[in-house]
């Protein structure tokens, strides 16, 4: 589809149109803030399906990388969205080159539009859902019942990512990881379409000084409080 024919994000209807009998929970935040682990734990606790939307952008990036496509070219990035099948366990999805390409191609409006329906359909499924990413509370599910914005300082996030990469047998330097996190933050926050930012009604959770179990418990407390409030 030509770029000019891609639907504008704003043209899509919101969750209000969908029949819903369970909560939709949006978890956003920067790289390695813990949003994925928190979203998974919330989904398990509430017995809801979970979508890690970052994997969609990573899958496009991996497709492009495998073909040798140019991440600086929007048309090539859009072609990499076609027939997007991927194995979520593929370790290459989480490699650093793929992380970087994902953050580059996610700035293209046509790429975001191509991935929009899949995410909105997931959010609209009967029974509710948990989704994590960058724009869940602002674009994908602006009517979500609960929105969490998970943060941590870049230094703490770089430490976490370093440990993760070392755990996978990769040898990387802290400074390199920190610089990658900072440039991804800048790209994700600075792009014109769906930038990384907290929705005005999001609950903020700074996990800089929290181990994962405490961060997860705090997220559960915030979500339960908001859901109880909504039903009272
Ligand atoms: O886990 P991490 O935060 O490092 O990355 P991710 O959530 O897997 O996302 C990879 C990249 O995809 C991010 O750097 C974003 O540029 C992009 N992304 C996005 O633009 N919107 C989303 N909803 C999810 C990810
Ligand atoms: O999804 P996102 O990139 O935001 O982060 P994640 O994949 O949930 O977490 C990145 C790494 O940080 C994982 O190894 C988590 O176990 C760890 N983590 C942590 O040590 N303390 C936290 N409060 C949150 C995450």
């Amino acid at each position: 589809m030509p770029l000019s024919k891609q639907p504008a994000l704003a043209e899509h209807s919101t969750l209000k149109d969908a029949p819903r009998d369970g909560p939709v929970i949006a978890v956003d935040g920067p790289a390695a803030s813990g949003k994925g682990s928190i979203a998974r734990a919330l989904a398990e606790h509430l017995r809801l399906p979970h979508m890690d939307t970052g994997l969609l952008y990573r899958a496009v990036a991996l497709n492009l990388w495998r073909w040798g496509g140019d991440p600086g070219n929007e048309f090539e990035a859009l072609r990499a969205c076609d027939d997007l099948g991927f194995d979520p366990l593929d370790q290459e999805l989480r490699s650093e080159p793929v992380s970087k390409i994902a953050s580059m191609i996610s700035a293209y409006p046509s790429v975001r539009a191509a991935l929009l329906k899949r995410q909105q359909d997931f959010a609209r499924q009967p029974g509710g859902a948990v989704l994590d990413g960058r724009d869940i509370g602002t674009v994908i599910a602006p009517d979500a019942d609960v929105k969490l914005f998970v943060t941590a300082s870049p230094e703490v996030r770089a430490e976490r990512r370093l440990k993760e990469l070392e755990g996978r047998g990769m040898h990387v330097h802290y400074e390199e990881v920190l610089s990658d996190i900072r440039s991804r933050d800048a790209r994700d926050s600075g792009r014109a379409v769906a930038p990384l930012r907290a929705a005005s009604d999001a609950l903020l959770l700074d996990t800089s000084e929290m181990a994962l179990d405490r961060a997860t418990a705090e997220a559960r407390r915030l979500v339960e409080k908001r859901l109880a409030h909504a039903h009272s």
Side-chain angles (χ1 to χ4, degrees):
M1 188 190 286
L3 293 191
S4 57
K5 295 269 170 59
Q6 289 288 331
L9 297 184
E11 284 170 15
H12 285 263
S13 53
T14 66
L15 288 172
K16 278 190 185 121
D17 306 326
R20 251 152 88 192
D21 56 5
V24 173
I25 299 179
V27 186
D28 290 303
S33 55
K35 63 187 177 303
S37 310
I38 287 174
R40 263 193 310 279
L42 287 172
E44 200 174 312
H45 177 64
L46 297 167
R47 295 171 196 269
L48 292 172
H50 166 231
M51 178 184 260
D52 169 355
T53 63
L55 279 183
L56 299 178
Y57 292 92
R58 286 174 182 274
V60 174
L62 184 55
N63 263 350
L64 192 67
W65 194 47
R66 283 188 174 147
W67 294 346
D70 175 9
N73 181 316
E74 183 168 0
F75 285 96
E76 290 189 21
L78 182 59
R79 264 184 51 212
C81 298
D82 289 346
D83 305 319
L84 195 65
F86 61 94
D87 171 6
L89 299 178
D90 184 340
Q91 283 306 308
E92 277 199 282
L93 284 170
R94 292 174 175 83
S95 69
E96 284 313 287
V98 167
S99 302
K100 184 170 175 203
I101 298 171
S103 135
M104 290 169 73
I105 56 93
S106 68
Y108 295 133
S110 60
V111 168
R112 302 202 74 82
L115 300 179
L116 185 73
K117 186 173 183 305
R118 190 160 167 168
Q119 297 172 78
Q120 288 198 322
D121 287 348
F122 192 90
R124 287 189 181 122
Q125 64 189 293
V130 181
L131 292 91
D132 78 87
R134 299 290 189 290
D135 61 341
I136 310 302
T138 51
V139 174
I140 303 298
D143 306 322
D145 300 82
V146 189
K147 300 177 188 178
L148 285 184
F149 193 82
V150 185
T151 59
S153 71
E155 291 77 12
V156 167
R157 290 187 283 121
E159 281 288 349
R160 289 176 185 166
R161 191 66 15 120
L162 182 72
K163 271 199 198 134
E164 238 185 335
L165 294 170
E166 284 175 347
R168 278 193 247 133
M170 292 160 83
H171 299 287
V172 273
H173 295 289
Y174 170 79
E175 290 304 334
E176 228 177 276
V177 180
L178 179 60
S179 137
D180 176 68
I181 288 228
R182 285 194 200 281
S183 44
R184 261 203 307 144
D185 282 357
R187 259 198 305 272
D188 290 350
S189 311
R191 67 184 172 220
V193 186
L196 167 68
R197 66 175 172 80
S200 56
D201 52 349
L203 302 166
L204 299 187
L205 179 57
D206 186 337
T207 70
S208 299
E209 294 185 6
M210 291 182 192
L212 185 55
D213 53 353
R214 218 185 114 213
T216 304
E218 184 57 15
R220 247 166 80 168
R221 191 187 68 75
L222 289 171
V223 167
E224 280 167 359
K225 195 168 155 203
R226 183 56 67 98
L227 289 177
H229 185 69
H231 292 126
S232 63

